[in-house]
């Protein structure tokens, strides 16, 4: 398998209501991102609200996206679960519809020691029908996949990469140092604010939520950083930070980022902004602030 | 509905292998606890490893236990989930087989503000076919159901109680102060080390894992505390702390408690000690220590 | 040394301005508490804002209180510090003026492992001229003095007790189980909401901030619990919880408790309510709420 | 005042015993770092074990270093304290001996809200005789100086910069975005693993502990990044990560970094490796591993 490099947007899941997909919106969003040049897609991640959806909707969404993409770019499917068996079942569904790989956080109800993480991921990778990317997401999962654990797991033939959403760059630099030269293991950074510098320092790409809205911006950042064009990286970083400090900071919610992205996509005419529990979409006042932010960015 | 008072063991889920119930063990365990005089049963809680089981096994286990209990005591079913829809589906299954109520933690992947908890639990209680007990479990869920939130939710006609596993007695005393006198709302404590004092101070009972092994001990503690027999409470507390400091402290695992209970039940001849991922059962050396502890307790 | 049992109020430090004692207020407060029957005093604890005071003021306050108490009850002095040497120096000053013992949290800037805690406390107890009480205060210190560590340290001839402010009753019940029978080691609980049940279960007393305001209430609670008079314990608990849920919950501050106690003491005419940085005293609006709460309690 | 840019090592405090300076070692270490081209020095930071030292030793060390440096480079002095008054006193001492500025974390015993941080730092900066650098160190202090708070404080005429030791690059990129263009405010990164990318993205320098041992390496990294020489940045990063993953990872201590730096300096013949409580220096076995690591790095 060739290493996947570039921007892999963690796709939001367009919803119309409780546990009901906005199918037309989802199709528009896929086309919007592909037109923007993204290198792959990642569905059912944190940005995709996967855990808040029923399994029925998760399965339906995987099928819908894979059918729409139809092989134009690789699609990764999030199978993070507290039950190993449910992860494997969803991965089988994903494979059947053409996914290229799956992504999984550690189990997020029971905490795990690092030794337990090794045992868990080994058992999972053994059972999965598709290559597995580790997903470090300590703020939601409580557990950190330590660098030594990642190095141990990287030797499993079916574990092919790691996405880090910790924003802890000591950790990510350690991963780059220990694993960055391997041809069979990829390193992606979650927070889009860090894609520029991470790729400059040797990462393989970014799983950046902002690419739902502005796919071409993050693609250009990846390319500038990949060519070590620092001047361009700094210019693009300025715009990325404008998005980050306006669209993602409305209200005092832990979920301001998610609400902001969905609200912006709705204002851009791409899809509905319904959010599943425990979250609710922005009200009018907050929506007006997102509209203002989009105007300031020249996006509407 | 009459208030449920007493010992409600959070039943472990006897397993034979990955995602495979030990059905005979489960039946023996139900009978063992009923014989010990427990006032109700709680299945699919944290002690039941609910999140680690596939939905198939969860549904099967609910049916098995309800059939075996056959109305002799009330049965509560854990429906904690990250997806509201899945919680409701499981509750419908539980109702169909005769459960008396359901129990739910906050969603445990995405964090919630207290306002979001109120919205979430209101929507959940509205949709559930059975009365709901709130389940405060901050160490696994990351979110704390604050006292003010519990008070607000206690007014919902379908929310009938709260089980607290935080071990934070300032919090629990505040709940007793604010909600303890209500006839339509029950307060249970999770950690068995606290059942004596909590009942003395006004709680309705304990959801105590040790009652899988020694149901009569915790039942007696409840009764002694309910009668304000301090002398007996202190004697029973001594034995409860012996269990707690021997059976639950083998190895340096976050899951020593769970491994200890399952291992002890296996040594007592009641059921298998298989654990689902991310945990593994005790090895021989650790099992020997549990055997020793049981001997010291006079249990084998 | 005879074991100290009963209510040991953690005395607030009356201030008139930045780093300036309200000496008259301090004298009134000492007399107020002694009149209320408290069994000892504890100065320079968390409630005393010790860490926020200059060393000059800390030394002055120790001298002032010891002179005023003049041996009527034992006085304990907080010597918690990040520098072992500074702890010892303050303890020498305390001894010179007649203190009976000292109290120390773990160092609170650098984190410590449990092994490092044992080494630190051993070195400290070796160097101290007075008996040492351990002070478990994880919310401020980040480090938890685990039960095993406390048991190991209890064998040091100069370590004579532990005050627990964690509010974690599993922990405290474990301490009672492992150390409660020792004649040379005392166990005190910090949160006043727990004094009743802790003494019922075997603790030696409470280090309760509310006793600055209402010393006789907590003294009566200690005595009722010590005699196992549950009926009276529950009545007193009701009043203690009224205080806790009114005086300590004004505003959305982490320091609402401290601001509330000082404001109430000012309204009761005992001392000034100045607070040292990083905290500021209540403004008029909040002060009015404390006045209301005191009226509801019949205290003014 | 001209903006300070470059490498500002957080100097370790050479000790011979409990609260006893290794004065000769300190002089050698100053000369070693100045010879390596560092742009300034920072004494009494976290790496300097400031909080573990008595005030007597803190004052003595400030005087010693300032006398030895004798104006060759600017010297910043850490005045982090839980007592505002003690911070100001130490700053006066530092000014008297020629320091250029002071550095302070938030108070680290009592937690502060962001509003309280603004009040605290404003009062501190008003009272200080030297310019103040904010010091974000959440792992030790528990409190995070949020970006909005830093922006508000940057307008104070006596607050001139911020050092971030959080390793959270989302935060640091936000600071660069909001404050990076100001001529009167500097941004430094603590973790040396991040100096390259931070300077590439617009930071003013690094406060890097490794510069105690290898000052010229971090100076070269600063210069390469400042010139946007990515190729050289990556080469130097490789060496920096070799140090980080060998010298700082011996043993399972929270303080492995500090023990490693002091042990290496001892092996390099620069100064004693005594550590103040709660830490102890490496034993022979661990010391041998540091010696090996230094050999692998070609340093001995």
């Amino acid at each position: 398998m060739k290493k996947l490099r570039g921007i892999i947007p963690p796709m939001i899941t367009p919803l119309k209501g409780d546990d009901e997909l906005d199918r037309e919106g989802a199709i528009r969003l896929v086309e919007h991102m592909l037109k923007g040049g993204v290198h792959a897609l990642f569905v059912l991640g944190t940005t995709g609200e996967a855990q808040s959806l029923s399994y029925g909707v998760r399965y339906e969404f995987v099928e819908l996206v894979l059918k729409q993409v139809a092989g134009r770019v690789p699609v990764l499917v999030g199978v993070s679960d507290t039950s190993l068996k449910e992860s494997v079942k969803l991965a089988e569904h994903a494979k059947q519809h053409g996914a290229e790989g799956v992504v999984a956080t550690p189990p997020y109800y029971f905490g795990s020691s690092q030794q337990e993480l090794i045992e868990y991921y080994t058992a999972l990778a053994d059972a999965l029908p598709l290559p597995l990317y580790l997903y470090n997401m300590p703020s939601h999962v409580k557990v950190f996949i330590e660098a030594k654990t990642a190095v141990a797991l990287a030797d499993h033939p079916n574990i092919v990469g790691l996405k880090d959403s910790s924003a802890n760059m000591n950790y990510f630099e350690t991963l780059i140092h220990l694993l960055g030269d391997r041809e069979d293991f990829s390193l992606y950074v979650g927070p889009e604010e860090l894609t520029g510098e991470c790729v400059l320092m040797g990462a393989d790409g970014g799983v950046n939520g902002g690419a739902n809205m502005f796919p071409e911006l993050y693609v250009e950042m990846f390319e500038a950083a990949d060519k070590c064009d620092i001047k361009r990286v700094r210019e693009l970083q300025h715009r990325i930070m404008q998005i980050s400090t306006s669209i993602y900071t409305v209200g005092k919610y832990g979920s301001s980022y998610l609400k902001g992205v969905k609200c912006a996509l709705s204002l851009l005419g791409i899809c509905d902004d319904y959010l599943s529990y425990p979250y609710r979409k922005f009200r009018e006042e907050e929506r007006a602030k997102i509209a203002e932010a989009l105007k300031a960015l020249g996006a509407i």
Side-chain angles (χ1 to χ4, degrees), chain A:
Chain A
M1 196 177 95
K2 207 176 134 249
K3 225 171 163 171
L4 194 53
R5 300 192 76 241
I7 298 300
I8 309 167
M11 190 175 171
I12 64 119
T13 305
L15 297 171
K16 272 174 158 166
D18 280 323
D19 218 51
E20 183 189 357
L21 288 181
D22 171 9
R23 296 180 60 96
E24 294 72 25
I27 288 168
R28 276 192 299 273
L29 180 54
V30 165
E31 294 306 319
H32 172 67
M33 291 191 287
L34 292 193
K35 198 174 148 203
V38 303
H39 305 86
L41 287 182
F42 168 39
V43 298
L44 295 184
T46 304
T47 297
E49 297 171 82
Q51 278 69 31
S52 302
L53 308 172
S54 72
Y55 284 81
V57 165
R58 292 186 216 182
Y59 278 66
E60 179 189 348
F61 188 60
V62 166
E63 196 175 334
L64 172 65
V65 171
L66 281 161
K67 192 173 162 202
Q68 184 64 26
V69 171
R72 288 178 286 171
V73 295
V75 176
L76 307 182
V77 173
V79 297
S80 302
D81 210 295
T82 56
S83 157
L84 195 150
K85 181 80 170 287
E86 295 293 345
S87 293
V88 173
K89 273 178 65 179
L90 180 54
E92 280 160 1
H93 178 74
K95 182 190 167 95
Q96 181 188 335
H97 290 277
E100 170 131 346
V102 295
V103 182
T105 64
Y108 38 85
Y109 187 80
F110 289 110
S112 309
S113 67
Q114 297 298 310
Q115 180 55 34
E116 285 165 343
L117 280 188
I118 289 175
E119 290 165 11
Y120 167 78
Y121 272 125
T122 300
L124 181 63
D126 285 349
L128 284 171
L130 285 171
L132 170 63
Y133 293 86
L134 310 175
Y135 184 176
N136 189 43
M137 178 42 112
S139 62
H140 289 73
V141 174
K142 302 183 298 269
V143 173
F144 211 102
I145 306 173
E146 289 178 11
K148 274 187 189 173
T149 303
V151 168
L153 289 168
D155 285 335
H156 191 290
N158 203 30
I159 297 180
V160 297
L162 182 147
K163 176 205 168 183
D164 177 38
S165 290
S166 72
N168 183 321
M169 275 304 296
N170 269 30
Y171 171 70
F172 200 71
E173 284 291 351
T174 304
L175 292 181
I176 291 176
H177 182 65
L178 299 174
L179 294 167
D181 290 338
R182 289 180 67 144
E183 278 312 305
D184 60 347
F185 199 85
S186 304
L187 291 171
Y188 309 113
V189 68
E192 60 210 52
E193 298 83 355
L194 311 187
T195 297
E197 66 201 84
C198 285
V199 173
L200 280 175
M201 302 304 285
D204 295 297
V207 181
N208 304 149
N212 281 275
M213 301 175 289
F214 307 111
E216 66 294 341
L217 171 62
Y218 301 89
V219 167
E220 197 185 347
M221 174 57 108
F222 171 74
E223 285 165 358
D226 200 38
K227 286 184 304 201
C228 294
D229 179 351
I230 298 282
K231 194 165 159 282
R232 190 68 187 134
V233 164
R234 286 214 195 173
E235 287 164 9
L236 295 166
Q237 180 72 0
H238 182 70
R239 189 167 171 81
I240 287 172
M241 292 310 303
Q242 279 183 307
I243 293 167
S244 175
T245 56
S246 62
I247 306 278
Y248 303 165
T249 58
V250 172
K252 296 195 166 188
Y253 304 97
S255 54
S256 286
Y257 152 73
L258 194 51
K259 293 183 191 212
V261 173
K262 278 206 151 175
C263 182
L265 286 169
S266 157
L267 286 162
L268 293 169
I270 294 173
C271 61
D272 205 302
D273 60 346
Y274 195 91
L275 274 101
S276 48
Y277 281 105
Y279 299 142
R280 304 287 78 196
K281 68 177 179 179
F282 276 147
R283 289 157 301 172
E284 271 319 306
E285 196 183 40
E286 295 156 326
R287 189 175 171 89
K289 284 185 188 166
I290 298 291
E292 247 176 77
L294 287 173
K295 267 174 219 156
L297 289 161
I300 56 172

